[in-house]
Amino acid sequence: MSELAVRMAQAGGPEVMVLASVVLADPGPGEVRIRHVACGLNYIDIYHRSGAYPLPTPTGLGMEGSGVVEAVGPEVTHLAVGDRVAYASQPAGAYATARVMPARCVVRLPEFLSFEQGAAMMLKGLTVQYLLRKTLPQDGLQSGDFILFHAAAGGVGLIACQWAKALGLQLIATAGSDDKCALALRHGAAFAINYQRENFADRVREITGGAGVKVVYDSVGATTWEGSLASLRPFGLMVSFGSASGAVPPIALSALAGKALYLTRPSIFVHLSSQAATQAMADDLFEVVRSGAVSIEVENRYALKEVQQAHREMESRRTTGSGVLLV
């Protein structure tokens, strides 16, 4: 069976991605074949394409998608042919008209969600789920607590703004323009800081009356690292879950000692290591969307053949919210 898929022979700029014909085998044990309707666009795809997160080449790209199950391999019991599904999963390869993949990270897509929403929400929404629900400071998070969330106008950030508000948290958003700050505020952020105009660490101390925040969720990396540490209160938690501005340089553990800070570098795919864990996280995400507390808005749509343009616009940070490739 021949399908179209985005492939790259080596790491590099957007130009290394080409649309190629690939042959799909039947699904093996623990696998399913999915006919895609939409594929999610995420910053991790840029890390993979650029080589920041190296993949063996040649390779496909993309970690998120939605569609319909068209074949089920042995040992798969939770899915059937014809199911509407969505996923966030390794290995890379979602940028395709169809794919064969492990079934453990594939879940049924509720009828109240469109395929576009499914493709736009799984990796981003499950990331927010493990951050706000599982990656917590020493004494947890309670209603009224301050948290700092960088890149708050992106797909992950806008979900986080809404979910944090539903949990009663005071999310302090950072973004790179006044328009992006306004977008974060409209989605539930309690405060927003344009880090192009203000020192965000100084502003955080002002907002919190000098106390600092319990936790920083940072997907930006190198350029926000020092300010993030400075924004934490004693015994605070630094969560580094991405490096859009470049990798955080090696640090001395003594840098954490002054305020007895905690540091973690989590990964969504550790959380999605089993079908039961994936389903439980997805159920939590689907419920917060079904309740209306979180809205999944698809802001950017591209045809599969426009993948290079999609990456250029993502990488330039001209986009806000979530984007999809339509198959």
Side-chain angles (χ1 to χ4, degrees):
M1 179 179 296
S2 182
E3 301 290 345
L4 290 176
V6 172
R7 304 284 294 174
M8 70 176 200
Q10 61 185 25
E15 69 280 356
V16 301
M17 299 182 294
V18 297
L19 204 55
S21 180
V22 297
V23 176
L24 293 187
D26 291 331
E31 295 182 329
V32 292
R33 186 171 70 239
I34 297 173
R35 172 70 46 191
H36 283 143
V37 175
C39 315
L41 289 161
N42 295 282
Y43 217 88
I44 193 174
D45 306 340
I46 291 173
Y47 297 152
H48 286 153
R49 190 211 72 222
S50 68
Y53 294 177
L55 294 176
T57 53
T59 183
L61 286 170
M63 311 298 291
E64 179 182 44
S66 66
V68 177
V69 175
E70 61 178 23
V72 176
E75 303 172 14
V76 176
T77 58
H78 70 290
L79 298 171
V81 172
D83 282 348
R84 301 171 75 251
V85 294
Y87 66 85
S89 178
Q90 294 175 318
Y95 294 180
T97 53
R99 72 180 299 198
V100 173
M101 62 179 295
R104 71 178 183 278
C105 293
V106 181
V107 298
R108 290 191 181 93
L109 185 65
E111 292 294 334
F112 65 83
L113 291 167
S114 70
F115 285 114
E116 287 189 12
Q117 289 174 307
M121 73 183 287
M122 291 300 291
L123 193 143
K124 302 170 193 67
L126 293 177
T127 295
V128 176
Q129 197 277 343
Y130 86 74
L131 291 174
L132 294 184
R133 306 285 274 175
K134 297 183 177 185
T135 313
L136 303 175
Q138 187 184 49
D139 57 350
L141 287 173
Q142 287 80 42
S143 181
D145 283 343
F146 289 99
I147 67 174
L148 178 61
F149 207 102
H150 291 301
V156 173
L158 292 181
I159 293 174
C161 288
Q162 297 174 80
W163 206 330
K165 182 178 180 180
L167 293 172
L169 304 174
Q170 297 195 72
L171 184 145
I172 304 171
T174 73
S177 72
D178 289 343
D179 286 345
K180 288 184 176 182
C181 286
L183 184 63
L185 290 169
R186 289 199 300 273
H187 282 76
F191 303 90
I193 304 167
N194 179 346
Y195 58 74
Q196 301 286 5
R197 293 195 295 102
E198 295 185 273
N199 181 303
F200 72 81
D202 289 346
R203 182 75 178 108
V204 166
R205 284 191 290 271
E206 180 183 333
I207 290 169
T208 61
V213 297
K214 272 191 171 183
V215 58
V216 176
Y217 296 109
D218 189 346
S219 64
V220 177
T223 61
T224 51
W225 175 257
E226 295 296 336
S228 292
L229 292 183
S231 299
L232 285 163
R233 74 181 200 177
F235 307 106
L237 174 63
M238 176 66 197
V239 183
S240 176
F241 70 102
S243 50
S245 69
V248 174
I251 66 163
L253 289 179
S254 59
L256 308 178
K259 291 189 284 188
L261 301 177
Y262 293 80
L263 168 64
T264 185
R265 177 51 172 98
S267 166
I268 186 174
F269 301 112
V270 178
H271 289 280
L272 302 177
S273 58
S274 71
Q275 191 271 322
T278 301
Q279 190 64 61
M281 290 174 67
D283 287 345
D284 195 18
L285 172 61
F286 293 153
E287 175 55 29
V288 77
V289 176
R290 186 206 60 77
S291 72
V294 171
S295 175
I296 304 299
E297 302 157 6
V298 181
E299 300 292 339
N300 310 288
R301 296 171 177 83
Y302 309 86
L304 189 61
K305 66 182 180 181
E306 296 173 322
V307 65
Q308 292 185 10
Q309 176 189 347
H311 270 229
R312 288 189 182 98
E313 293 184 4
M314 263 202 304
E315 208 162 8
S316 71
R317 304 195 191 181
R318 293 200 303 268
T319 62
T320 57
S322 299
V324 295
L325 297 172
L326 300 177
V327 177

